[in-house]
Structures are given as C-alpha cells and as structure tokens.
Amino acid sequence: MKGNDGLAEASAIPVHVVGGFLGAGKTTFLNRLLRAQQHRRLAILVNDFGAIDIDGLLLERRDEDVLALRNGCICCSLQADLFSTLRMILSRRPMPEAIFIECSGVSKLQEMRRTLADPMLWQYAALEGVICVVSAVHVIAQARITEDPLWKEQILSSDMIVLSHMDEIGKADIRDVEERLQKIRGGIPILPVSENLLTHGVLVRPLEPTTEKSLFWAEGEDIDDDFINLEWRREASLDLMAFRSVIERHAPVLLRAKGILYLTTAPQRALLLQMTGSRITIGVAPEKALSDPASRLVFIGRSGMFDSQMLKNDLDAIPA
Ligand SMILES: Nc1nc2c(ncn2[C@@H]2O[C@H](COP(=O)(O)OP(=O)(O)OP(=O)(O)O)[C@@H](O)[C@H]2O)c(=O)[nH]1
C-alpha cells in the first residue's frame, strides 16, 4: 500500500544520527559499529562538508549501502538533499533495518534534530537518538576546539556521548573528561566504545515527533558560512618535506584536514592524511583510494582565521 506521498507504508525505520566535532572520530566509530553489525541491513548516509568524498571512502561497507551528501552541511544548506536521499532509501526493497546518518563535523545537532522531527518523515523513518562522538584528547589538550561554540552545541543537543581517543589518555584524565562533559550537560550518558554498545546497537531515548507543521523547507541559520573549506587536488605526487612545511605553517588555524596523498618517495602508494587540531598522522589509505591517482585533500577552518587562498598558493607551489 502507498501513503499519500508515494512512500510505502511500513513501521518506521529507526534513524540514528552520529554527530560530533571535526575529527572527533565519527567515521571510526561508525566503522566499528558497522563491523559489529555486519549481519544487519543498514543504510548509511554520510555528509562531508566538502565536495571530495573522503568519509564515503573510509566507511567499510558495500558501496551501495553508503550514500554521500557533499558540499554543504545537512543541518542547513543540504536539508532538501537529505530528505530526497531518505526518500530514496525508504523506497528500496528490501528496506534497511536502520539508517545511520553521519553528520559533517560542522553540523548543528539541534538543527538535525528539528529537521528529522518532521511529522511526515516520522511516519517512515523516526529519529531514535542523536549520538555525539567526543574526542577525549580534544577535551584534555585542544582548547582551540573545545572553546568553539559549535563543539558545545553538539554536546548540548545530543542524547548520548560516545568517547573516542580514550586509548590515548590515562584513567585520571578520563575522569576529568567525564566531569567536564557532565558540567556542560549534566546527566547525559557518557559511554566508551565497548563491544556491548557496538553489538547491541545504540540506545536511546525515543523522541516525540514535533507538533509543528513540516519543517521540510524551514529556513535555518546557515552555519556553512562560519567555516571555510579548501579542496585541493594535484595529479602529480608531492615532495614530503615541502608538504610538511606548508602544513606546519597553516596548522595553527586549521581545525581539520584529511584526504589522500601521493608522495614522490612512493608515487604508487596512496596515503591517508588525517589532521585534527594540531595532530597529524599519515598512514596507508584504503585500497579503494587507488582508483583515483591524484592527491586530494580537504582543509577546514573558521572564517576570518583560515586564509584558504594563501594555503592554496602554498600547496600549488610544492614541487612534484
Ligand atoms: N587512537 C585513536 N584514534 C582515533 C580514535 N577515533 C578516531 N581516531 C583517529 O582520529 C582521526 C579522525 O577520525 P575520524 O573517524 O575520521 O573522525 P571524524 O569525526 O569522522 O572526522 P570528520 O568527518 O572529518 O569530522 C583519524 O586519524 C582516526 O584514525 C580512537 O578512539 N583512538
């Protein structure tokens, strides 16, 4: 049977939102969860703030299960795309058992919550809960991130916090992190990533659909303007020392960088660059990355602080 809007009627599919600041560990958490729940039919919707689909590349799931929404933020500028993608997922047969939405690191979770509380959507896909992934290392050592109003908004607007990067700090620091988070949002469950959490799914407090009329087209505050991103692509491989010095020069104003790199020392080898705050790692990229032989990187910073043109000029000047 079909509903008035053309969607098949069915009991609502649970929707889990996974949010959290730039580089907090959302994709890593989701990958662990997907591995633990391999037997389930899940649809994953991933929102990269930039046009380059890095998160889609990093998610370990069959390509057809992962849908990417790029070049904007689903909590504001991509709201309409979010709805049309959800409709497409809901029209699939067999239907997924659950939908996970990985927000971009700049998504406001209150906006996501309002968007998904749409009364019409709720009949088919009901928000089960909003999980905020918080990096314990950010809390202990990255004041630049934890002083960002958006970081706090995400904690205040979620139902549960999942702590990442706990392996990198000691027990006393973990207690300190929990206390600091409880001060921001008293009573919120703060959970480490455990097998139990990954296997038995993610709780959480069921919400009621909004009584307001559909927010489908409601205009939210556009937070895309607060952040600037630079997408940079180079067909030839890069000199590591020159690349490093460019990154070190710009690191103080960057909140996040990630992407695929090819270096002159091993031009056939795709490397994965990850940078959150001032922490940088370069490791082996997933095999899928090799389908594109170009280096492709995304850099994100706050407007007014991050000079994307200057970074682009510096990157362009790196010798091949
Ligand atoms: N040691 C450690 N590293 C982690 C953990 N979680 C994530 N990372 C690393 O932190 C970096 C960022 O992790 P991602 O999962 O890509 O973070 P994200 O929140 O999806 O990033 P954006 O989508 O860009 O906002 C990567 O280098 C991960 O390997 C963790 O629990 N422990």
Side-chain angles (χ1 to χ4, degrees), residues 54-65:
I54 302 296
D55 282 355
L57 197 67
L58 297 180
L59 279 169
E60 299 162 17
R61 198 73 175 186
R62 290 180 316 154
D63 287 350
E64 58 268 36
D65 295 336

Side-chain angles (χ1 to χ4, degrees), residues 117 122 206-211:
W122 197 271
L207 306 166
E208 291 303 317
T210 176
T211 49

Side-chain angles (χ1 to χ4, degrees), residues 6 15 32 53 59 102 135 141 145 155 165 174 190-191 194 202 218 223 239 253 266 304 310 318:
V15 177
R32 291 188 64 182
D53 178 19
L59 279 169
E102 181 187 340
S135 160
I145 286 174
I155 290 166
H165 291 263
I174 290 174
I190 302 174
L191 303 178
S194 66
V202 262
I223 91 156
D239 176 78
V253 295
M310 195 194 290
I318 295 174

